[in-house]
């Protein structure tokens, strides 16, 4: 790691601490209301773009609650997939999620698909849309994750599989209070193509070539 990378890593660490507090301070009623509004925008985006399969996280702690989006997708016949984390190599397996009963506590205490009920799909499978959580976002496609690199590794794996079909749309979903002027990004960091909050659904960085040599 060179000096510039070290500076960016330090800025990211400081920003994670600050934005975790910002998100965590959102009052419960606003958290519920804003989550429902953002999920409604996300569902509209899925419908407008004729998306029939999506990967979406199951909410944990103060993350935006994606359960309304998942339930709307089920109602519309959209195939829902959820990730399961592998702590040993910081990677994720993808699992079809058909009901809340298929979840159990996995890595870090997060609700994840039970692999005995819903086995992992092939690593070559690519959903049409991927909703990524984050602590901060910007309107240029920047996303600040949690530092584990799980979605980075998924991005790298999908790039290898892109020959099998159209690449997915990468969407960040969060609260408007999480949108900042600029997320510190390294040259290898991939950018999002869509940003969805309770206040907006913004199509950005359509080519999403940033981070092509990443991970």
């Amino acid at each position: 790691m060179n000096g510039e990378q070290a500076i960016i890593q330090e800025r990211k660490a400081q920003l994670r601490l600050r934005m975790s507090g910002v998100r965590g301070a959102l009052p419960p009623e606003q958290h519920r209301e804003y989550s429902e509004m953002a999920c409604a925008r996300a569902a509209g985006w899925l419908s407008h773009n004729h998306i029939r399969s999506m990967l979406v996280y199951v909410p944990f702690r103060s993350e935006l609650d994606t359960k309304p989006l998942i339930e709307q997708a089920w109602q519309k016949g959209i195939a829902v997939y959820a990730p399961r984390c592998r702590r040993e190599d910081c990677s994720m397996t993808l699992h079809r999620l058909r009901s809340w009963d298929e979840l159990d506590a996995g890595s870090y205490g997060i609700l994840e698909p039970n692999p005995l009920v819903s086995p992992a799909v092939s690593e070559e499978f690519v959903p049409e849309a991927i909703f990524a959580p984050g602590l901060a976002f910007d309107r240029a496609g920047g996303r600040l994750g949690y530092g584990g690199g799980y979605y980075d590794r998924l991005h790298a794996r999908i790039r290898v599989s892109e020959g099998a079909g159209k690449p997915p749309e990468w969407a960040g979903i969060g609260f408007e209070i999480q949108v900042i002027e600029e997320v510190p990004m390294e040259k290898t960091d991939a950018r999002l193509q869509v940003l969805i909050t309770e206040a907006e659904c913004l199509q950005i960085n359509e080519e999403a070539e940033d981070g092509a040599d990443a991970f």
Side-chain angles (χ1 to χ4, degrees):
M1 181 184 299
N2 60 35
E4 181 180 355
Q5 289 175 313
I7 291 172
I8 293 176
Q9 288 292 329
E10 178 60 27
R11 289 177 60 199
K12 286 182 176 180
Q14 294 175 0
L15 187 58
R16 284 190 183 101
L17 184 62
R18 179 168 69 86
M19 296 307 296
S20 179
V22 168
R23 193 180 68 185
L26 191 65
E29 181 58 30
Q30 288 187 345
H31 186 283
R32 181 194 62 79
E33 178 184 356
Y34 293 167
S35 291
E36 291 179 352
M37 292 169 64
C39 285
R41 289 186 183 278
W45 174 74
L46 290 172
S47 179
H48 178 76
N49 289 279
H50 308 290
I51 290 171
R52 305 307 301 166
S53 64
M54 69 176 190
L55 174 70
V56 62
Y57 67 91
V58 178
F60 183 62
R61 293 181 178 167
S62 64
E63 288 179 332
L64 183 142
D65 187 353
T66 56
K67 290 180 180 178
L69 174 59
I70 293 171
E71 291 182 348
Q72 288 181 64
W74 284 336
Q75 293 170 8
K76 294 180 179 180
I78 297 172
V80 177
Y81 295 84
R84 186 173 181 87
C85 297
R86 291 167 44 92
R87 296 188 70 163
E88 57 267 32
D89 60 2
C90 292
S91 68
M92 296 191 298
T93 52
L94 310 187
H95 303 253
R96 183 76 181 266
L97 184 65
R98 295 179 174 87
S99 77
W100 301 122
D101 293 337
E102 295 179 350
L103 299 172
D104 66 2
S107 301
Y108 313 103
I110 301 171
L111 285 176
E112 299 176 329
N114 181 342
L116 299 179
V117 178
S118 177
V121 299
S122 167
E123 289 197 359
E124 296 180 356
F125 169 75
V126 178
E128 294 180 22
I130 296 175
F131 289 96
L135 286 166
F137 306 92
D138 65 34
R139 291 183 175 84
R143 167 185 168 267
L144 180 71
Y146 302 104
Y150 285 90
Y151 282 86
D152 293 347
R153 289 176 179 83
L154 178 63
H155 185 279
R157 191 176 89 198
I158 286 176
R159 288 192 65 86
V160 172
S161 302
E162 278 184 6
K166 182 181 177 181
E169 293 272 349
W170 286 79
I173 186 167
F175 301 111
E176 193 70 16
I177 57 171
Q178 295 177 254
V179 181
I180 63 175
E181 183 174 349
E182 183 181 10
V183 172
M185 300 281 284
E186 298 173 68
K187 292 179 180 179
T188 53
D189 287 339
R191 293 182 181 271
L192 300 167
Q193 295 158 283
V194 182
L195 175 61
I196 300 173
T197 71
E198 76 276 9
E200 62 185 331
C201 179
L202 182 64
Q203 188 81 36
I204 46 181
N205 195 42
E206 292 188 12
E207 297 302 320
E209 288 299 328
D210 301 77
D213 299 322
F215 325 125

